Amino acid sequence: MSRTPRIAVIATATAAVVSTPAVWLLDGPGPGQFVGASVQAATGVAALLWAMLRDRPAPAAHDTVEHTGDAVAVDGGNALTGFSGPADRSTGPSVTRHTGATRAEGAGSVANSGTYYR
């Protein structure tokens, strides 16, 4: 549930829990009013708990890299114009567009212009 409907449900449930049962119970309730107030309060509490405890969808986060410059790796260095990160930390798709050129020179050098999960 998105934020706006969640707030509306919480506000409505809070109003139901507090308002009408309080009015009924303040005026010397009979057995029917007492049962009605109890049922209405329980319904409001259930709606409030439902709105607060309902699972929220995971955010659609992703890694984005765009329009980077060029990079050169020399003698064991790393040249990166894209994205690099641990694979277990990825929370969504990765987008790499229009990255600069990379060049690796020398033993052990690495060049990457895309997405590299290590």
Side-chain angles (χ1 to χ4, degrees):
M1 177 185 292
S2 67
R3 183 172 171 80
T4 303
R6 181 182 302 265
I7 291 171
V9 169
I10 290 171
T12 303
T14 302
V17 168
V18 174
S19 66
T20 307
V23 171
W24 286 350
L25 296 176
L26 289 176
D27 193 28
Q33 288 177 318
F34 184 76
V35 170
S38 300
V39 169
Q40 187 171 358
T43 303
V45 169
L48 182 61
L49 289 174
W50 173 80
M52 293 175 63
L53 300 177
R54 186 165 174 168
D55 290 337
R56 296 179 185 169
H62 61 272
D63 305 314
T64 303
V65 178
E66 295 183 285
H67 306 289
T68 62
D70 297 342
V72 177
V74 181
D75 296 329
N78 291 318
L80 174 66
T81 63
F83 174 79
S84 177
D88 61 345
R89 295 277 192 131
S90 177
T91 58
S94 173
V95 178
T96 306
R97 289 186 215 124
H98 309 291
T99 59
T102 58
R103 191 172 73 231
E105 298 175 357
S109 297
V110 177
N112 178 29
S113 64
T115 300
Y116 172 64
Y117 289 112
R118 44 186 199 281

